[in-house]
Amino acid sequence: MEGLVLLIIFLFLAPFFSTIIQKVKAFLVGKQGPPLFINYFTLAKLLAKGSVYSASTTFIFRLSPVISLAASMTALLFMPFAGAAPILSFQGDVILVFYLFGLARFFTICAALDTASPFEGMGAAREAYFAFLCEAAVFTVLVLFYRLTGSLSLTGYFTGPDVINLWRPEGALLLLVIAAMFMVLLAENSRVPVDDPATHLELTMIHEVMVLDHSGPDLAFIELGAFLKLFFYAAFIANLVLPSRPTVGFAGIASFFVAISVIYALVGVIESITARFKMGLVPKFILTSFALAFFATILVLELK
């Protein structure tokens, strides 16, 4: 029951957390920034409009936003929040979770190709390539976690008897994993320095160019799915940073809320002080996350 209540709360708060990035970026340049509920206003505005479809698109184009949102929401059913057990859990669920995001990406790419736009095809190719590199880092982390817990479940990682966090004896090595997952968070969620969600230069876009032809409720589903995906990765890192909690309480929920907010604020700081990489440097950036995860895995294997 606690897991269900927390899931509903954080599903609702996911767009709010993304506003933290915008507020931090505005604060660092001396501006007030958008209202705290700007993302809710944007979603409501899009849902109130109608969708426009090109005559060249098929049902794939209309199906993609629904699948993207459903995949992100389903993935969050397996994520423990603030020490509470998730709604769903089984051995091997972590593989399903990351491939749910892969399924959402597959349909987003198919929808981009369905438009027959060369620009969207360019973004789809980049998205597929960079996601392939991110998978190497993510699954290296999962190998490490399996070595530590003998589990392939998010519940086993974050709420089981042998939880993974910085406070374990080998916690110092997990700093490498946290750094690797944070870099994956930036890449998978189209954030600076990998991608820029605010860019309007079509030749430099990755994710944004794939959704240019979506409008109305379809675009709202895509935006909401992106908020939930970013929240999933932030929750994954927050669970690694926070100490284990025997019971869910106000202190546990508050510390989880603060940890999530700090991660979003850090994304805002990085986007304020760094420029977007040239396209040729992006693979090197992502492969650095793989190197960090691989190095941590080797060290853990040596210690065990």
Side-chain angles (χ1 to χ4, degrees), residues 10 14 17 76 81 227-235 260 264:
F10 285 116
F17 285 122
L76 284 172
F81 300 114
F227 293 145
L228 298 180
K229 183 180 180 181
L230 179 56
F231 178 73
F232 172 87
Y233 279 94
I260 292 287
Y264 276 80

Side-chain angles (χ1 to χ4, degrees), residues 4 27 52 59 91 101 132 153 164 184 201 226 229-230 238 252-253 259 289-290 292 304:
L4 177 61
F27 173 78
V52 178
F59 73 97
Q91 190 64 230
F101 290 120
F132 164 74
S153 166
I164 300 175
V184 170
L201 299 175
K229 183 180 180 181
L230 179 56
I253 296 173
S289 68
F290 166 72
L292 292 173
K304 285 287 182 176

